Amino acid sequence: MLRKDLTTPLGPVTVMTDGRAITGLWFTDQRHYGSTLPRLTLVGDSPLFAETQTWLNQYFAGEQPAMTLPVRPEGTTFRQTVWQVLQTIPYGQVKTYGEIAQVVGLQVGHDVGARSIGGAVGNNPISLLIPCHRVVAGTGDLTGYAGGLDRKRALLELEGQLKAGQVRVKLPTD
C-alpha cells in the first residue's frame, strides 16, 4: 500500500492506493482518519495519485470531474452496499439518510434504519470520491460529516446545493 498527501482548498488529504484502485481518501483532520490505513504503508508515488490530484483540482474548480477513479473501500458487506449506493448520487444532488435506507433495504432484503445508514456513511474511507457529503437529514439539514459540517457546507455550496450562509438544502419534496 502506498500513501501520499495531496492538497485541496479545504485542507490536505491523505490518499491511499494498492496500485490498482484508491483504497482511502481522508481529510487529515477528519474523524476516522486512516480507519482502514494498514499499520505499514509506504509514502510513495503512483499514477493514481496524479489522477486523484487532477480529479480534486477539477472538483474544487467547481466542475464535475471528467474522469471516474477506481475505488476499493474495505468494510463490511453492509457498508459496501451503502457505499455503492452513495456512488450513484449525482454531482450537485443530495439524498436523505431515509432515501438511502430504502434503497439499501431493497438490496439487502430487509428494512434498515437511517441510523445504521448514518454509521456506514460516517465511516466511508474514501471521502469525496464516494460522496458521503451529499447525504442530508430528511429535513434537508446538514448532519453527520466526518470532515466537519463546515466542510460539508462548503462542498454542497461548491456543487450548487446551498447558497452561502444556508444551513439546509432544499429537497425536491419542499
Side-chain angles (χ1 to χ4, degrees):
M1 293 285 192
L2 292 175
R3 67 181 164 90
K4 185 172 185 173
D5 288 340
L6 300 177
T7 60
T8 79
L10 295 180
V13 295
T14 297
V15 182
M16 189 170 69
T17 182
D18 61 6
R20 295 181 313 273
I22 301 299
T23 57
L25 191 156
W26 306 268
F27 285 102
T28 57
D29 62 349
Q30 83 176 46
R31 236 183 0 219
H32 312 297
Y33 170 77
S35 60
T36 58
L37 194 64
R39 283 185 186 214
L40 180 59
T41 60
L42 302 173
V43 175
D45 214 358
S46 164
L48 279 172
F49 294 140
E51 291 173 20
T52 302
Q53 187 67 67
T54 297
W55 190 98
L56 291 168
N57 291 346
Q58 289 175 351
Y59 179 82
F60 283 104
E63 305 167 14
Q64 181 176 353
M67 66 175 78
T68 302
L69 298 171
V71 295
R72 192 179 55 74
E74 292 184 19
T76 65
T77 301
F78 177 77
R79 287 182 177 180
Q80 294 280 345
T81 302
V82 172
W83 299 333
Q84 287 171 1
V85 172
L86 295 182
Q87 292 176 73
T88 68
I89 305 172
Y91 178 93
Q93 295 183 29
V94 296
K95 295 285 182 193
T96 66
Y97 290 96
E99 289 172 321
I100 302 290
Q102 288 178 338
V103 173
V104 171
L106 289 173
Q107 291 183 12
V108 299
H110 59 82
D111 287 342
V112 295
R115 292 188 111 180
S116 60
I117 297 299
V121 170
N123 283 281
N124 169 19
I126 306 178
S127 295
L128 301 172
L129 299 176
I130 298 177
C132 52
H133 61 280
R134 295 181 187 148
V135 182
V136 298
T139 59
D141 288 328
L142 307 186
T143 58
Y145 186 61
L149 289 181
D150 288 340
R151 274 198 189 111
K152 184 172 190 166
R153 184 176 299 110
L155 295 169
L156 292 174
E157 285 176 11
L158 183 72
E159 293 187 21
Q161 278 295 311
L162 285 174
K163 294 193 181 343
Q166 280 184 313
V167 295
R168 177 178 291 153
V169 298
K170 184 169 175 56
L171 298 173
T173 57
D174 288 346

